[in-house]
Amino acid sequence: MEDKGFISFLAIRANASPDTIYATFDGEPITFADLHRTSDSVAVELRRLGVSKGDRVALMLSNSQNSLAALFAIAKCGAIWVPVNVQLRGDGLKYILEHCNPRIVFADRDFFPNILECGVDGSAFRLIAETGEAESLDRLADGCHVFSEDLPAADDLFALNYTSGTTGRPKAVCVTHRMLRYASEGAILCSDARDGDVFFVWEPLYHIGGAQLMPIPLLREVRLAMVQRFSASRFWDQVRECGATQIHYLGGVLQILLKQSQSARDRDHKVRVAWGGGCPRDIWRVFEERFGMPLRECYGMTESSSITTFNETGVLGSVGRSVPWLSVEVLDECGKPVPMGTSGEIVVRSRQEGAVFTGYFRNEEATSKALRSDGFHTGDLGMLDADGNLYFLGRLTDSVRVRGENVSAFEVEHVAGSHPLVEDCAMIGVNAEVGEQEIKLFLKPKAGADIDFVSFSGWLAQRLAPFQNPRYLAVIEEFERTPSQRIMKHRLPTSLEGSWDRLESAGQ
């Protein structure tokens, strides 16, 4: 019977074509035999270190050959991978390490101070460096051991993916081996992957956007071209050097690439498809025309195996239709389908076994709120057109109640972000003197721009309803972002000190 997970395919590929390249990392090749050997060795060493099936193993590592070996080793031995954002420190890092209670934490030695000083009980787990020690991860990978135990089943737990906490504490999504397989199959569909393709991988493996790419070479005749991190200035040179045919984007990546100076080499590449999520409608065609490739937008959440819908027809602004193993509905507050062209909550159901998660780790309240009898309630606002194409309209919870009206952050930010002097913006709610909330809008001006608040507010007033027009405006140099480049709104100050007040300016 075919494995509905992914890990058994590594041995199959390593035995059938040991010298075939699974991936390159900064240009250095990693063959299937290399990955199978090193992950086998780490899996055996994990057992020696006391890791049993179901134990958590946290990785606080940048992308590297060692992190790949560790990831596949965890999958082989039935442990549970806890990817940790390498930018975390303090209370946020402490929360994850205490919540998941790992037996072992592998980390780059540069991150040791963040771990040891975050307030977590360091005696609760074993901390192992990536390199440079007698029992560091690179040494464990070179042990030449053979892992001979039975591999985990498809529905065994593989990872705890802590969702980016844009409004509060992150939740740990329980991801099975089967779910990561679905995520990879979804990426294959969305990216139009074909035999011989090369995927350029800049995403950190601690984000589902990177993790979902790892099984793809096991499932198709494709190769990964991995780099340590995203670099706007080097992006296209790296893409050309590795011969990439697919590039992936998240968050503000497309805007960042468009900001680079135009070049005669903008179309000098082999990329067939740019795929991902978060492309603003107004730059969609601009990007396609400048760089000479179609964009294929997708939508999804880790809870529903990463990719729920994908746009293969090029309908502008749409995130497309559902993958074969999931179905999508848009429901009102009473749980009834809304008419076509009307917004409501996106609710996802599984068409095939195990495509939607079974819950959040150690969080029954959040699980019961998300998983209901009619499906997984995403908390996202969406709309379906007559052809069944889904349009993502923002987070349901990312709204402000102003004088009896719900104001979607997406609507305000979409308008404000189209102003010629604004590079990016973010809306939050702040306490109102009378009523529920007022809107505070943070603006990141374009380089060299100086925004006049009075004229800007007047410009907004021509494009937004009165209750949507922010009362408070503030300029910010840079937004703090999650690994997927979403703005961390819960870190934005609710204080009104230094903010421009529209009502005060008007003498009200």
Side-chain angles (χ1 to χ4, degrees), residues 51-360:
V51 174
S52 301
K53 182 178 180 180
D55 284 344
R56 273 77 63 195
V57 178
L59 302 185
M60 193 171 180
L61 300 168
S62 300
N63 288 2
S64 68
Q65 295 190 35
N66 294 320
S67 60
L68 278 176
L71 189 157
F72 278 94
I74 292 167
K76 285 180 176 180
C77 73
I80 300 170
W81 172 43
V82 183
V84 180
N85 184 343
V86 300
Q87 301 175 64
L88 283 177
R89 61 189 66 205
D91 187 59
L93 179 56
K94 177 186 178 185
Y95 172 78
I96 288 177
L97 293 178
E98 288 183 342
H99 186 257
C100 74
N101 188 26
R103 182 171 290 275
I104 289 177
V105 177
F106 288 110
D108 187 306
R109 179 155 278 286
D110 289 345
F111 306 138
F112 274 30
N114 293 348
I115 295 171
L116 299 174
E117 296 169 11
C118 73
V120 71
D121 179 5
S123 66
F125 52 82
R126 181 163 180 175
L127 181 59
I128 300 178
E130 180 179 6
T131 61
E133 297 182 0
E135 285 201 324
S136 55
L137 176 56
D138 61 335
R139 299 286 183 88
L140 302 183
D142 282 341
C144 296
H145 304 301
V146 175
F147 186 77
S148 56
E149 299 179 25
D150 291 338
L151 298 175
D155 291 313
D156 285 345
L157 191 56
F158 168 59
L160 298 179
N161 280 83
Y162 283 82
T163 59
S164 301
T166 55
T167 57
R169 289 292 194 191
K171 300 185 292 289
V173 182
C174 294
V175 177
T176 64
H177 287 251
R178 186 191 299 266
M179 286 176 66
L180 192 63
R181 168 74 178 272
Y182 279 131
S184 297
E185 296 286 2
I188 289 168
L189 283 175
C190 185
S191 65
D192 189 30
R194 305 170 190 172
D195 285 354
D197 279 346
V198 179
F199 280 63
F200 182 62
V201 183
W202 58 266
E203 302 89 331
L205 298 183
Y206 54 74
H207 184 269
I208 189 64
Q212 68 189 358
L213 305 179
M214 296 303 99
I216 291 179
L218 309 182
L219 309 173
R220 300 290 190 278
E221 297 290 336
V222 303
R223 173 166 53 86
L224 306 181
M226 303 178 66
V227 294
Q228 290 188 29
R229 63 184 65 86
F230 175 79
S231 168
S233 61
R234 298 181 59 211
F235 186 87
W236 291 112
D237 285 338
Q238 291 174 321
V239 165
R240 294 182 193 102
E241 287 168 7
C242 69
T245 53
Q246 272 83 2
I247 60 172
H248 184 230
Y249 60 87
L250 292 167
V253 165
L254 297 182
Q255 296 95 316
I256 293 169
L257 292 176
L258 281 171
K259 283 176 60 181
Q260 301 299 303
S261 299
Q262 293 197 21
S263 164
R265 301 194 70 193
D266 279 348
R267 290 188 170 217
D268 178 18
H269 54 71
K270 297 180 179 179
V271 178
R272 286 194 300 105
V273 176
W275 64 284
C279 175
R281 184 188 184 100
D282 57 338
I283 71 164
W284 190 312
R285 299 299 187 222
V286 174
F287 189 93
E288 289 182 330
E289 290 170 9
R290 175 172 167 182
F291 294 109
M293 69 191 73
L295 292 182
R296 289 170 68 110
E297 186 85 349
C298 61
Y299 162 80
M301 297 176 70
T302 306
E303 290 90 333
S304 51
S305 301
S306 184
I307 295 176
T308 301
T309 66
F310 69 104
N311 183 345
E312 61 181 333
T313 60
V315 177
L316 186 64
S318 173
V319 293
R321 287 177 271 196
S322 60
V323 293
W325 45 90
L326 295 169
S327 65
V328 174
E329 280 193 302
V330 178
L331 306 182
D332 63 18
E333 294 178 352
C334 298
K336 296 180 180 179
V338 301
M340 294 293 180
T342 304
S343 63
E345 184 178 11
I346 301 171
V347 176
V348 181
R349 295 189 184 92
S350 182
R351 286 179 176 169
Q352 296 180 20
E353 184 181 0
V356 174
F357 82 135
T358 58
Y360 298 107

Side-chain angles (χ1 to χ4, degrees), residues 415 418 458-465 468:
V415 172
S418 68
W459 185 87
L460 289 178
Q462 296 176 348
R463 294 161 173 81
L464 295 171
Q468 294 176 313

Side-chain angles (χ1 to χ4, degrees), residues 364-381:
E364 293 182 6
E365 181 181 354
T367 298
S368 61
K369 183 178 179 181
L371 290 176
R372 307 180 203 172
S373 58
D374 56 354
F376 164 51
H377 283 246
T378 65
D380 286 340
L381 193 66

